[in-house]
Protein backbone atom coordinates (compact mmCIF):
# COMPACT_ATOMS: atom_id res chain seq x y z
CA UNK A 1 0.00 0.00 0.00
CA UNK A 2 0.98 3.65 -0.28
CA UNK A 3 3.52 4.69 2.33
CA UNK A 4 5.08 8.09 2.89
CA UNK A 5 7.79 8.52 5.49
CA UNK A 6 9.12 11.98 6.30
CA UNK A 7 12.47 12.54 7.97
CA UNK A 8 14.99 15.28 8.63
CA UNK A 9 13.12 17.29 11.22
CA UNK A 10 15.32 18.85 13.88
CA UNK A 11 15.78 21.71 16.32
CA UNK A 12 17.52 24.62 14.58
CA UNK A 13 18.28 28.26 15.23
CA UNK A 14 16.62 31.09 13.31
CA UNK A 15 18.37 31.85 10.04
CA UNK A 16 19.69 28.34 9.58
CA UNK A 17 18.82 25.81 6.88
CA UNK A 18 17.33 22.32 6.96
CA UNK A 19 16.37 19.71 4.39
CA UNK A 20 13.43 17.40 4.83
CA UNK A 21 12.95 14.14 2.97
CA UNK A 22 9.91 12.03 2.21
CA UNK A 23 10.51 8.43 1.16
CA UNK A 24 7.67 7.02 -0.90
CA UNK A 25 6.74 3.39 -1.52
CA UNK A 26 3.83 1.30 -2.70
CA UNK A 27 3.04 3.33 -5.80
CA UNK A 28 4.67 4.70 -8.96
CA UNK A 29 6.23 7.76 -7.33
CA UNK A 30 7.62 9.15 -10.59
CA UNK A 31 4.11 9.58 -12.00
CA UNK A 32 2.58 11.61 -9.16
CA UNK A 33 2.78 15.26 -8.23
CA UNK A 34 3.61 15.64 -4.55
CA UNK A 35 2.92 18.20 -1.86
CA UNK A 36 4.16 19.48 1.49
CA UNK A 37 1.72 20.66 4.17
CA UNK A 38 2.68 21.90 7.62
CA UNK A 39 0.97 22.38 10.96
CA UNK A 40 2.30 24.61 13.71
CA UNK A 41 1.73 23.31 17.25
CA UNK A 42 -1.94 23.66 18.14
CA UNK A 43 -2.72 25.38 14.84
CA UNK A 44 -4.34 24.51 11.54
CA UNK A 45 -3.02 23.08 8.30
CA UNK A 46 -0.98 25.25 5.94
CA UNK A 47 -0.27 24.32 2.32
CA UNK A 48 3.48 24.78 1.79
CA UNK A 49 4.54 23.58 -1.65
CA UNK A 50 3.82 21.31 -4.57
CA UNK A 51 5.87 19.80 -7.37
CA UNK A 52 4.88 18.20 -10.65
CA UNK A 53 5.53 14.53 -11.32
CA UNK A 54 8.66 15.26 -13.37
CA UNK A 55 9.97 18.05 -11.14
CA UNK A 56 9.74 20.68 -13.85
CA UNK A 57 7.14 22.82 -12.09
CA UNK A 58 6.98 23.85 -8.46
CA UNK A 59 4.63 26.04 -6.45
CA UNK A 60 4.76 27.65 -3.03
CA UNK A 61 2.63 29.21 -0.36
CA UNK A 62 3.15 32.91 0.26
CA UNK A 63 4.84 32.47 3.63
CA UNK A 64 7.65 30.27 2.30
CA UNK A 65 8.14 31.52 -1.25
CA UNK A 66 11.76 32.50 -1.86
CA UNK A 67 13.01 30.61 1.21
CA UNK A 68 11.87 27.01 0.59
CA UNK A 69 12.52 24.81 -2.44
CA UNK A 70 10.71 21.58 -3.20
CA UNK A 71 12.48 18.97 -5.33
CA UNK A 72 12.39 15.26 -6.03
CA UNK A 73 14.60 12.37 -7.03
CA UNK A 74 12.43 9.94 -8.94
CA UNK A 75 15.26 7.39 -9.14
CA UNK A 76 15.19 7.21 -5.33
CA UNK A 77 11.42 7.66 -4.85
CA UNK A 78 12.13 10.62 -2.59
CA UNK A 79 10.66 14.10 -2.18
CA UNK A 80 12.62 16.91 -0.58
CA UNK A 81 11.96 20.27 1.02
CA UNK A 82 14.99 22.53 1.33
CA UNK A 83 14.34 25.24 3.88
CA UNK A 84 16.53 28.34 4.19
CA UNK A 85 16.42 31.41 6.45
CA UNK A 86 14.26 29.58 8.94
CA UNK A 87 12.06 31.65 11.20
CA UNK A 88 10.42 30.99 14.53
CA UNK A 89 7.08 30.76 12.72
CA UNK A 90 8.35 27.86 10.59
CA UNK A 91 8.12 25.64 13.66
CA UNK A 92 5.68 22.91 12.66
CA UNK A 93 5.03 19.31 11.82
CA UNK A 94 5.75 18.89 8.12
CA UNK A 95 3.73 16.34 6.15
CA UNK A 96 4.25 15.08 2.65
CA UNK A 97 1.13 14.06 0.80
CA UNK A 98 0.00 12.55 -2.48
CA UNK A 99 -2.92 13.56 -4.72
CA UNK A 100 -5.35 11.06 -6.23
CA UNK A 101 -4.23 10.78 -9.83
CA UNK A 102 -0.94 10.38 -11.69
CA UNK A 103 0.44 13.19 -13.87
CA UNK A 104 -2.12 15.64 -12.46
CA UNK A 105 -1.06 18.49 -10.17
CA UNK A 106 -4.30 20.37 -10.74
CA UNK A 107 -6.45 17.92 -8.80
CA UNK A 108 -4.78 18.93 -5.59
CA UNK A 109 -6.68 17.23 -2.83
CA UNK A 110 -4.57 14.88 -0.74
CA UNK A 111 -5.41 11.22 -0.45
CA UNK A 112 -2.32 9.82 1.25
CA UNK A 113 -0.33 11.45 4.04
CA UNK A 114 2.83 10.60 5.93
CA UNK A 115 3.08 10.79 9.70
CA UNK A 116 5.11 13.99 9.58
CA UNK A 117 8.48 15.22 10.79
CA UNK A 118 8.84 17.96 13.39
CA UNK A 119 10.86 21.11 12.75
CA UNK A 120 11.51 23.37 15.71
CA UNK A 121 13.08 26.76 15.17
CA UNK A 122 14.28 28.27 18.40
CA UNK A 123 17.04 30.54 19.61
CA UNK B 1 -4.46 33.77 -2.70
CA UNK B 2 -7.87 32.23 -2.07
CA UNK B 3 -8.79 32.57 1.60
CA UNK B 4 -10.90 29.82 3.12
CA UNK B 5 -13.01 30.69 6.16
CA UNK B 6 -14.62 28.00 8.29
CA UNK B 7 -17.43 28.46 10.79
CA UNK B 8 -17.95 27.98 13.56
CA UNK B 9 -14.47 27.66 15.06
CA UNK B 10 -15.87 25.14 17.54
CA UNK B 11 -19.12 23.20 17.66
CA UNK B 12 -20.52 21.26 20.59
CA UNK B 13 -22.93 18.46 19.62
CA UNK B 14 -24.30 15.40 21.37
CA UNK B 15 -23.70 11.89 19.99
CA UNK B 16 -26.49 10.86 17.65
CA UNK B 17 -27.25 14.42 16.64
CA UNK B 18 -26.49 16.15 13.36
CA UNK B 19 -23.50 18.45 12.88
CA UNK B 20 -23.27 21.07 10.14
CA UNK B 21 -19.92 22.71 9.37
CA UNK B 22 -19.46 25.58 6.93
CA UNK B 23 -16.64 26.69 4.67
CA UNK B 24 -16.55 29.85 2.57
CA UNK B 25 -14.07 30.70 -0.19
CA UNK B 26 -13.00 34.27 -0.95
CA UNK B 27 -13.22 33.48 -4.66
CA UNK B 28 -15.20 31.07 -6.77
CA UNK B 29 -13.65 27.59 -6.59
CA UNK B 30 -16.37 25.67 -8.44
CA UNK B 31 -16.47 22.20 -6.86
CA UNK B 32 -12.72 22.05 -6.20
CA UNK B 33 -13.20 21.62 -2.49
CA UNK B 34 -12.08 18.87 -0.11
CA UNK B 35 -12.81 18.11 3.54
CA UNK B 36 -10.42 16.41 5.96
CA UNK B 37 -10.74 15.03 9.46
CA UNK B 38 -7.86 15.19 11.92
CA UNK B 39 -7.62 13.55 15.31
CA UNK B 40 -4.98 14.40 17.93
CA UNK B 41 -1.54 13.09 17.05
CA UNK B 42 -2.64 11.87 13.63
CA UNK B 43 -2.25 13.04 10.07
CA UNK B 44 -5.35 14.42 8.36
CA UNK B 45 -7.66 11.98 6.59
CA UNK B 46 -9.50 12.81 3.39
CA UNK B 47 -13.28 12.67 3.78
CA UNK B 48 -14.74 14.44 0.75
CA UNK B 49 -13.44 15.64 -2.59
CA UNK B 50 -15.16 17.47 -5.42
CA UNK B 51 -17.31 19.12 -2.71
CA UNK B 52 -19.57 16.07 -2.39
CA UNK B 53 -17.79 12.80 -3.25
CA UNK B 54 -16.95 10.63 -0.27
CA UNK B 55 -13.47 9.15 -0.21
CA UNK B 56 -12.87 5.43 0.03
CA UNK B 57 -14.19 3.83 3.24
CA UNK B 58 -15.83 7.03 4.51
CA UNK B 59 -19.21 6.26 6.11
CA UNK B 60 -22.39 7.51 4.48
CA UNK B 61 -23.20 9.70 7.48
CA UNK B 62 -20.62 12.16 6.10
CA UNK B 63 -21.92 14.29 3.25
CA UNK B 64 -20.69 17.39 1.49
CA UNK B 65 -22.55 19.99 -0.51
CA UNK B 66 -22.11 23.37 -2.14
CA UNK B 67 -20.27 24.93 -5.04
CA UNK B 68 -18.80 28.28 -5.93
CA UNK B 69 -17.99 29.93 -2.62
CA UNK B 70 -20.23 28.28 -0.02
CA UNK B 71 -19.78 24.70 1.18
CA UNK B 72 -21.15 22.49 3.93
CA UNK B 73 -20.03 19.28 5.59
CA UNK B 74 -22.84 17.44 7.35
CA UNK B 75 -22.44 14.52 9.72
CA UNK B 76 -25.90 13.05 10.03
CA UNK B 77 -25.67 11.12 13.30
CA UNK B 78 -22.53 11.74 15.28
CA UNK B 79 -20.56 8.78 16.53
CA UNK B 80 -17.96 9.02 19.28
CA UNK B 81 -15.15 8.61 16.73
CA UNK B 82 -16.32 11.68 14.79
CA UNK B 83 -15.23 14.19 17.42
CA UNK B 84 -12.19 15.76 15.80
CA UNK B 85 -11.06 18.82 13.87
CA UNK B 86 -12.34 19.30 10.33
CA UNK B 87 -10.62 21.29 7.60
CA UNK B 88 -11.73 22.38 4.17
CA UNK B 89 -9.24 22.92 1.33
CA UNK B 90 -9.64 24.48 -2.09
CA UNK B 91 -7.68 23.21 -5.07
CA UNK B 92 -8.97 25.62 -7.68
CA UNK B 93 -6.26 28.25 -7.56
CA UNK B 94 -4.02 28.63 -10.62
CA UNK B 95 -1.07 28.43 -10.47
CA UNK B 96 -1.53 25.91 -7.67
CA UNK B 97 -1.74 27.33 -4.15
CA UNK B 98 -4.21 25.05 -2.42
CA UNK B 99 -5.16 26.79 0.80
CA UNK B 100 -6.89 25.33 3.85
CA UNK B 101 -9.49 26.78 6.15
CA UNK B 102 -8.54 27.32 9.78
CA UNK B 103 -10.55 24.34 10.98
CA UNK B 104 -13.68 23.58 13.00
CA UNK B 105 -13.28 21.65 16.25
CA UNK B 106 -16.20 19.30 16.77
CA UNK B 107 -16.62 18.61 20.47
CA UNK B 108 -18.85 16.26 22.38
CA UNK B 109 -21.65 17.92 24.31
Amino acid sequence: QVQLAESGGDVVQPGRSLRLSCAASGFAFSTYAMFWVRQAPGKGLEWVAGISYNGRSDYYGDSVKGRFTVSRDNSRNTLFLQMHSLRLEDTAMYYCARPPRPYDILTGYLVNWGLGTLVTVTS
Amino acid sequence: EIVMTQSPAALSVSPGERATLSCRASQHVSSNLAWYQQKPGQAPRLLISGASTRATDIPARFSGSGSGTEFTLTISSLQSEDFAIYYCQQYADRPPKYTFGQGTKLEMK
Side-chain angles (χ1 to χ4, degrees):
Chain A
Q1 76 271 26
V2 174
Q3 291 194 326
L4 300 168
E6 302 91 340
S7 62
D10 203 351
V11 178
V12 296
Q13 292 181 324
R16 302 300 290 263
S17 299
L18 195 64
R19 189 175 83 156
L20 306 182
S21 300
C22 171
S25 60
F27 66 102
F29 176 76
S30 64
T31 68
Y32 281 82
M34 293 294 294
F35 297 90
W36 288 99
V37 175
R38 71 182 181 183
Q39 186 169 36
K43 303 297 184 182
L45 302 172
E46 181 183 8
W47 190 88
V48 173
I51 187 168
S52 60
Y53 72 96
N54 57 12
R56 291 177 186 170
S57 300
D58 53 350
Y59 307 96
Y60 300 91
D62 290 347
S63 62
V64 306
K65 194 167 187 177
R67 299 187 300 122
F68 290 12
T69 302
V70 58
S71 63
R72 63 192 299 158
D73 184 341
N74 285 345
S75 68
R76 294 165 52 194
N77 290 348
T78 304
L79 176 72
F80 301 102
L81 186 67
Q82 179 68 55
M83 304 184 292
H84 295 296
S85 303
L86 282 162
R87 304 169 180 168
L88 298 177
E89 56 266 33
D90 295 320
T91 294
M93 183 72 78
Y94 285 74
Y95 297 99
C96 67
R98 198 203 81 170
R101 290 193 282 273
Y103 305 112
D104 182 6
I105 197 170
L106 299 182
T107 306
Y109 62 88
L110 303 168
V111 178
N112 303 101
W113 297 66
L115 297 179
T117 187
L118 183 61
V119 173
T120 303
V121 184
T122 180
S123 53
Chain B
E1 174 177 301
I2 299 176
V3 177
M4 307 301 291
T5 303
Q6 292 185 242
S7 60
L11 183 61
S12 184
V13 184
S14 299
E17 293 188 341
R18 173 188 299 256
T20 302
L21 289 64
S22 296
C23 175
R24 173 178 292 177
S26 62
Q27 301 175 34
H28 191 281
V29 299
S30 186
S31 295
N32 297 308
L33 191 286
W35 290 94
Y36 301 85
Q37 177 193 67
Q38 189 180 33
K39 297 180 180 179
Q42 297 184 16
R45 177 175 72 146
L46 176 70
L47 297 176
I48 301 281
S49 63
S52 61
T53 301
R54 277 190 305 277
T56 303
D57 295 331
I58 301 303
R61 64 180 182 272
F62 291 90
S63 63
S65 63
S67 68
T69 62
E70 299 284 343
F71 301 89
T72 300
L73 175 69
T74 302
I75 312 171
S76 60
S77 178
L78 279 163
Q79 307 297 302
S80 57
E81 62 266 28
D82 300 336
F83 293 98
I85 300 177
Y86 292 83
Y87 296 93
C88 62
Q89 179 209 15
Q90 63 79 18
Y91 49 97
D93 209 359
R94 302 289 183 264
K97 195 184 298 182
Y98 298 147
T99 46
F100 290 88
Q102 81 279 19
T104 291
K105 185 175 185 179
L106 185 57
E107 301 171 319
M108 189 182 301
K109 193 172 189 180

